[in-house]
Structure formats: C-alpha cells, structure tokens
Amino acid sequence: MNRQQKEALKKLLGDRVRWDVSMAEHSTFRAGGRAEALADVGDREELQALVRWLRNSGVPWRIIGRGSNILVSGQGFAGVIVRLQGELASVKQERGAGHAGAGTVPVRAGGGCSMARLLAWCTGRSLAGLEFLAGIPGSVGGGVRMNAGAWGQAMGGLLQALEVLDDRGRLFRLEAGELRFSYRRLELAGLDPDRVIIVSAWFGLRLGRQTEIVARCRDYLARRREKQPAGVGSAGSFFKNPAGDHAGRLIEAAGLKGLARGDAMVSPRHANFIVNTGRATADDIAALMVEVQERVYRDSGIRLEPEVCIF
Ligand SMILES: Cc1cc2nc3c(=O)[nH]c(=O)nc-3n(C[C@H](O)[C@H](O)[C@H](O)COP(=O)(O)OP(=O)(O)OC[C@H]3O[C@@H](n4cnc5c(N)ncnc54)[C@H](O)[C@@H]3O)c2cc1C
C-alpha cells in the first residue's frame, strides 16, 4: 500500500487497523509471515465500506477467523487481513424466523463468532446438534468455509442459510439449497468462496437435554485428547484425506512420523498433524509439507493436497 492508501484506511477504521503485524500471533501454528495490515471490523456498514474501498483501490485482502487453518507464507501478505468482531461475532436465537425445518430452532451466529462460544451458548439453552464441534478451535465463518467437521458430521449439514458479502460489497442471503458442501469444501453458486465473506450463518438446532449435550461434548473432547498432539502449534490435520484413504495412514506408511525441518515436525502422535515444537517458521512448515508430499507420492503414488489455506 502506498502512503495515501494507508491514510485512507486509517481514516476508515481508526485504531482498528494495525500495521506490519506478525501473523504468527494470529495463527494456531504460532508461525507465519507479516501482514501489511490487520483490520478488525465491527459491523456490516463498516465491512461494506472496507470491502468497497479495497476493491476500488486494488489492495489485496483476505478474511480470517481464528487462524486455526491458515499458514501465512514467510514472505508475508502485502495487503489487508480482515477479521469480524462485535455484532459480526455475536450469536442469537431467531424466534419465528422463516426457513426452520420442522422441530428445529433457528440460531444465527456471526461469521466471527468462535465455535467454542457458539457451542457454549447452545449448551446453555439446551440446543443440540453442534456438539461434534467441541475442540475445533475455529470461527463460524472459517468453519462454514472449510465445512469443518468431525466424527462423521460437518457444519454444512446443519446450515439453513448464510448471509454473505461479495467483493463488491453487496450483502445477500443464500438458502441451504444454493450451497454445496462436500468434504472440507463449500461451493457457492457462481461465486469464488475466497472472494466472499460469510457474515452470518443460520443453524437449525433441536431442543435436547442439557446433561446429554454436555456429556457428548466431553466425550468428543476426551477422544481428541487421546489422539491429537497437545501443547504444540498446529492447524489440525494438515492434508485432506484422499478418497477412500487417510492422509495420516499414508504418511505413517511412508515412515515420516517424527520427520522435521527446523522446529516443524510430523507429529509422532498423529501423522497428519504438522506441529510447531518451538520456533518453526512458515518456511520450515512449507518445506516439510513439500517433503511429505513428495515422499508419500514416491511411496504410494498419491498426491496429498493441503487442507490448510496458505496465503
Ligand atoms: C487442534 C486443531 C484441531 C482441529 N480439528 C479440526 C477438526 O476436527 N475438523 C475440522 O474440520 N477442522 C479442524 N481443525 C481446523 C480448523 O479449526 C477448522 O478448519 C476451522 O473451521 C477454521 O476456522 P478459522 O476461523 O480458524 O478459520 P481460519 O483458519 O482463520 O481460515 C480458514 C479459511 O477460512 C476462510 N475464512 C475464515 N473466516 C471466514 C469468513 N468469515 N468468511 C469467509 N471465509 C472465511 C479463510 O479465508 C481461510 O480460507 C483443527 C485445527 C486445530 C488447530
């Protein structure tokens, strides 16, 4: 950005824009290059104004949630990283709202709302359905974008509608029938999902027993603790599972558990986790990713695709 652009952005967002920010502090990998600017946006009008300005000035941008599935390259990001806060991170029940399936309670959550907050809010009101999200450290927007899931369920399965903003700053609502979810993927009719901001999402939940909801969450959390590395930086599973197989199985079969580049390591506990055991850089993680891809390909003929979004 040139000086004029920086001044215009400062005028638009005041102290909610920060400059030259280490993305290691905003990524669960605890690694990543620097972003030219990080902008926290608190309501729809501000978000629309920002996206229109970004488009008109040609400044590159990306939206992030809780940074639990991203890796910002060591070269950094020349542009603005946007995050949703305030009313765009809130959650509420929408009594009488349309489009609820029979017997379901419509809950609307802002794209910036953490899954942990949404889950706690639902549990407090005995609303069941999202327990499988327990322990996934993302946001509603990031989760919907990635169709996050676990234990055979995924977010797309409970979605009734989305409120989205396109890169021209236009807000609109998409109904469930206009959304295509598949494994860790969302397709929006005629729109590039990387150029769209998920502003809020409506979920159809059902009334349940609070004790049972709590028990299910605890069970899922315990299962995670058993399987996943703890106390290290990571972005969860690094690679997508190829059709009919598991990335972790292929990595383990290629003998790569414990393989390291700097402080980036293929977790000895869960082969599909690349972990940051200390001071790994984004370049260490990227180099390890490429090595794992090459060696798994040599071993099995299968090319692993990263699930982590690299920018
Ligand atoms: C320990 C650990 C365990 C995990 N376990 C699981 C698991 O069991 N299942 C699973 O699916 N994932 C898992 N993950 C990965 C990750 O938590 C999910 O993919 C999560 O949904 C990402 O949400 P986020 O807000 O952190 O997104 P980010 O990492 O911030 O962003 C991810 C992508 O979503 C986009 N995005 C973010 N917010 C928005 C928005 N509002 N509108 C449009 N696009 C947006 C970003 O541009 C980027 O492309 C795990 C991660 C960790 C660290």
Side-chain angles (χ1 to χ4, degrees):
M1 272 178 279
N2 60 34
R3 216 184 57 180
Q4 267 181 332
Q5 288 172 326
K6 285 187 175 173
E7 274 165 16
L9 188 55
K10 209 170 160 194
K11 211 167 152 193
L12 207 60
L13 295 177
D15 59 6
R16 288 188 315 291
V17 60
R18 280 181 283 159
W19 306 98
D20 190 26
V21 176
S22 162
M23 290 308 292
E25 287 162 30
H26 302 282
S27 155
T28 55
F29 251 135
R30 301 178 202 155
R34 303 186 82 81
E36 204 175 359
L38 177 69
D40 288 328
V41 180
D43 61 44
R44 283 171 184 70
E45 293 68 38
E46 201 169 63
L47 184 62
Q48 281 183 298
L50 173 63
V51 167
R52 285 182 184 141
W53 179 82
L54 287 163
R55 185 181 168 89
N56 292 338
S57 48
V59 172
W61 62 271
R62 292 299 296 246
I63 175 92
I64 64 164
R66 313 285 291 185
S68 64
N69 216 17
I70 57 164
L71 181 63
V72 176
S73 87
Q75 291 169 350
F77 183 76
V80 181
I81 303 264
V82 182
R83 292 193 304 185
L84 307 181
Q85 301 203 326
E87 69 173 43
L88 304 177
S90 65
V91 49
K92 59 183 178 206
Q93 188 170 326
E94 301 233 310
R95 286 191 194 284
H99 309 287
T104 62
V105 179
V107 169
R108 176 184 182 150
C113 178
S114 74
M115 295 197 200
R117 180 166 179 216
L118 172 62
L119 195 50
W121 189 95
C122 292
T123 305
R125 286 156 185 82
S126 302
L127 292 172
L130 291 171
E131 296 88 296
F132 65 93
L133 295 178
I136 302 183
S139 67
V140 167
V144 171
R145 168 72 180 83
M146 302 305 299
N147 193 19
W151 320 115
Q153 295 180 75
M155 288 185 89
L158 288 153
L159 261 186
Q160 294 179 333
L162 285 182
E163 181 190 15
V164 300
L165 185 87
D166 71 8
D167 66 352
R168 293 170 183 266
R170 295 178 299 197
L171 266 176
F172 48 97
R173 179 174 157 131
L174 295 170
E175 302 303 327
E178 297 170 273
L179 312 169
R180 293 273 169 282
F181 286 99
S182 52
Y183 172 64
R184 301 292 171 266
R185 196 178 154 88
L186 160 67
E187 284 169 56
L188 302 160
L191 295 165
D192 174 356
D194 281 338
R195 299 285 83 204
V196 162
I197 294 177
I198 295 160
V199 178
S200 50
W202 284 263
F203 298 95
L205 304 180
R206 57 192 155 73
L207 268 174
R209 276 179 207 272
Q210 200 172 54
T211 48
E212 289 171 10
I213 296 170
V214 171
R216 277 195 292 274
C217 289
R218 286 201 179 134
D219 175 48
Y220 288 141
L221 285 169
R223 287 204 238 165
R224 269 178 197 277
R225 272 195 295 271
E226 249 170 54
K227 289 186 167 190
Q228 297 182 353
V232 282
S234 84
S237 294
F238 195 96
F239 297 101
K240 292 183 184 177
N241 287 324
D245 210 332
H246 287 97
R249 193 199 69 75
L250 292 163
I251 297 167
E252 193 168 349
L256 303 180
K257 269 188 167 180
L259 180 73
R261 284 286 161 275
D263 277 350
M265 183 193 271
V266 175
S267 168
R269 201 176 158 104
H270 187 314
N272 198 17
F273 272 54
I274 290 184
V275 294
N276 177 358
T277 59
R279 293 167 168 252
T281 62
D283 290 345
D284 293 332
I285 295 167
L288 186 58
M289 170 188 86
V290 171
E291 179 151 10
V292 169
Q293 284 173 314
E294 283 171 358
R295 288 178 61 176
V296 166
Y297 185 68
R298 254 185 276 149
D299 191 65
S300 66
I302 293 173
R303 176 74 62 193
L304 292 178
E305 298 259 336
E307 174 184 318
V308 172
C309 307
I310 301 169
F311 38 90

